[in-house]
Each structure stands twice: as structure tokens, then as C-alpha cells.
Amino acid sequence: MTTDTSHAQQKPRRTGLVAALALGSLLAVTASAGADPVRWSMEGWKTDFEQASVDLARIRSGGPPRDGIPSIDNPVFEFVPGHDGLAPNEPVVGLRIDGDARAYPLRILTWHEIVNDVVGGVPVAVTYCPLCNSAPVFERTVEGRVLEFGTTGKLKDSNLIMYDRQTETWWQQFTGEAIVGEMTGQMLELVPARLQSWGEFAEDNPTGRVLVPNDESMRDYGRNPYVGYDSSRPFLYDGQLPEDIDPMERVVIVPRDGAEPLIVTMNTLAEAGAWSADGLAFTWTAGRASALDTNRIDQGRDVGTVLVTRDGEDVPYDVTFAFVAHAFHPGVTIVGK
């Protein structure tokens, strides 16, 4: 496989940014026109397109075909002690289940977007959508069946649409909801995880493990193919933008059972250091690089780490952009905007 199949190659750069964004708008219109179940069936999909919880016209191509951005299905790890492949400030998804601690560097997730793994005996999908800076972790077991996830090559509201290889149902990565196909309406269960720096993970988990490439030559790991994205504007997105806030401002979103999620700006948390609401404790610390800033991820500007707990226990949360939070939760006020 080559890096040219990834929609990462279409991202705007600081050089020629205006031209790239104009091209992106053209691609968005073209892709929207192709949102056709007949065409998708001709691509080989066996998905039941008559079952859907979203307007299929909102689904568009992100560029690559199915699995053009290849998931990692047989992950390889090294132990934290002695691992020298990451800078201390590099962002990782930190996950710990039943004493099994693992770090998933964004330098790898950027190119693969999904890791199918088993952590602490629990089948999980560790995911990352660079266009949304969204990195939720889900349990892969649904109604007693363990699913394996891949990338569809499709987007909705600029967000990755995953599919499971058992039923070819399409799932929204940001919400974990099955939106098209046999399992429409099902929800993947979120697993508490941390979007943190490698240095922080290594210090907290000295006996943990870190994901390494199956094949180092497969991608230019460590390079950011989305240079300048988090300081430009949403890409392949034609939805409504939030008012009174930069659409690319980072926000922290915390799901709440039976209620609207709590959404607060990262800037609010950075200024406060420690902040609380609704029984949730937020702690912000410096030292984590943006994966969507400069050409090399470890040189990205410091955007900090947020930890969210309730009664001292980690809770699921995500760090995304304001436009994403607004797209999926348009009626929810963003605190601090």
C-alpha cells in the first residue's frame, strides 16, 4: 500500500493553502453528488443501505477506497523501558484496562486511524480521525459478537465512517453509533482513555507497552500529512459552523448518561488549570504537542493534556474541534466560548 491512497494527502498546507481549500470545496461537491447506494453497491459493499439513521446524501467520499487507510489488526508493541522512538511531548492515546497499560502514538494512528486490539482481555477499537482530532476508544463486543473495524473511505460531517467486517454496517467514529446497515441504531460502548503526552504515559506506566509500526517503511511515521490543518478551517465539511467561536478551537466533550454532553473549551481549562462541573474534575497540564500543526509531529505547538475524572476515576472524554461538537450536538452550549 502507498501513502497516496490516504485522504491525508489532500489536506491543506501552509504553502498554497488557498488553492488547496478551493480544491477541497470542489472535491466536497463532487463527493456529495456521488452519495449513492447504487454506486456504493457497485464498489462491492454488501451493506443494507435501506437501513439508515442518517440522510445518506450527507455521506461523501474522503478520497481513499475501503481500507485505503488500513487498520492495524495485528498490533505490535514494545515495553516502555528503553523505548526511544518517541519524543516526550508526542501525543498518544493512553489506555489502561485491568492493569494492562498501552500507548498508541498519533504518529501511527494518523496513518491507520483504527487499531483492533485486546487490552486487559477486552476487545477494543482505538480510533483517531485527524480531520476531527477525535480519538475515542470503544469496546468491540456488540450483542455478544466481537467486531473488527476498518475504514470505509467515507465521511459524514468531516468525520471518519468505520465499518465492521462481520456485517459491513457503517459506524460514525465520533459517536460510536451504527448509522447504516444491519446494526443501525446500535452504540459502541466507550472506554476511558487519555489523549496525553508520551512522557506522561511512560512516567505513569513504567511497565506498560507502546504500539510500534508493523512495518516501519510502510509510512513516514512521525510526519504530519495535515500540516497547518488545526489553524486553517474544516475540510470536507459543509455543515453549519458554531457562532462566536473559532470552528477549529479545541474543545473537550464528556458524554453524560441520559443527558446532553458537557462541552468546554480547552482554553478555559488551560487558563484555570483545574476546573469542575457536574461532579467532573478537569485537570490541564502543558507538554503535549499538536499532531496537526507542523510537518513533524514532535515539533507541533504545545496544546496541553486534559484529564477528566469523577470521584478519582477516569471517565470517557474526547478532545475535538468546536465545529465537530456543534455538528453532532448543535443544541449544546459550549462553555467558555
Side-chain angles (χ1 to χ4, degrees), residues 11-327:
K11 294 297 149 303
R13 312 298 175 113
R14 287 194 175 96
T15 302
L17 182 61
V18 174
L21 290 173
L23 174 60
S25 298
L26 177 61
L27 287 172
V29 172
T30 303
S32 180
D36 181 355
V38 174
R39 173 180 291 188
W40 296 335
S41 295
M42 291 175 64
E43 293 173 358
W45 288 102
K46 296 180 173 57
T47 306
D48 181 358
F49 294 111
E50 292 188 359
Q51 296 192 58
S53 61
V54 299
D55 180 359
L56 297 183
R58 298 295 308 282
I59 297 174
R60 61 190 54 199
S61 172
R66 174 187 356 202
D67 295 321
I69 299 174
S71 61
I72 296 176
D73 306 322
N74 297 290
V76 177
F77 296 86
E78 291 182 356
F79 285 101
V80 168
H83 180 76
D84 59 1
L86 295 168
N89 68 332
E90 283 202 47
V92 303
V93 175
L95 180 60
R96 185 181 182 93
I97 301 177
D98 196 22
D100 187 354
R102 306 189 187 192
Y104 302 83
L106 293 200
R107 63 159 51 209
I108 299 175
L109 287 173
T110 291
W111 297 101
H112 296 277
E113 300 191 352
I114 300 172
V115 180
N116 292 292
D117 200 2
V118 178
V119 182
V122 179
V124 296
V126 181
T127 72
Y128 180 59
C129 175
L131 296 184
C132 294
N133 191 56
S134 176
V137 177
F138 302 103
E139 288 196 18
R140 292 193 284 124
T141 303
V142 180
E143 294 187 331
R145 176 163 47 175
V146 177
L147 305 178
E148 181 180 274
F149 291 94
T151 60
T152 62
K154 316 295 184 189
L155 303 168
K156 176 182 169 292
D157 292 319
S158 198
N159 182 243
L160 161 67
I161 297 177
M162 314 184 293
Y163 79 100
D164 71 77
R165 296 186 173 116
Q166 283 65 37
T167 72
E168 297 200 9
T169 295
W170 293 7
W171 301 76
Q172 192 80 61
Q173 181 260 1
F174 182 70
T175 63
E177 178 185 359
I179 58 173
V180 183
E182 175 184 326
M183 303 187 78
T184 294
Q186 294 279 4
M187 295 289 295
L188 299 175
E189 185 174 343
L190 280 165
V191 178
R194 300 180 178 184
L195 187 58
Q196 59 186 156
S197 69
W198 163 242
E200 183 180 67
F201 176 87
E203 182 178 354
D204 292 344
N205 302 280
T207 61
R209 291 183 286 173
V210 55
L211 180 73
V212 296
N214 294 61
D215 178 358
E216 191 72 44
S217 66
M218 188 178 191
R219 297 287 189 271
D220 185 6
Y221 297 109
R223 182 174 71 84
N224 166 27
Y226 303 81
V227 174
Y229 177 61
D230 64 357
S231 57
S232 57
R233 69 173 178 82
F235 195 66
L236 289 179
Y237 177 74
D238 61 358
Q240 187 180 44
L241 295 176
E243 297 180 354
D244 304 322
I245 187 173
D246 184 334
M248 303 303 286
E249 183 169 338
R250 281 175 167 81
V251 300
V252 179
I253 180 167
V254 186
R256 294 185 288 186
D257 292 339
E260 294 178 334
L262 177 62
I263 308 173
V264 58
T265 68
M266 190 79 127
N267 286 337
T268 296
L269 301 177
E271 290 174 3
W275 190 83
S276 61
D278 191 29
L280 296 165
F282 295 75
T283 304
W284 183 93
T285 55
R288 180 177 66 85
S290 166
L292 301 167
D293 184 21
T294 57
N295 181 59
R296 305 304 299 183
I297 289 177
D298 61 0
Q299 296 173 9
R301 70 184 185 281
D302 189 346
V303 294
T305 293
V306 171
L307 174 62
V308 186
T309 60
R310 184 187 295 276
D311 298 327
E313 298 292 328
D314 284 11
V315 300
Y317 70 98
D318 201 2
V319 180
T320 186
F321 297 124
F323 85 88
V324 183
H326 181 72

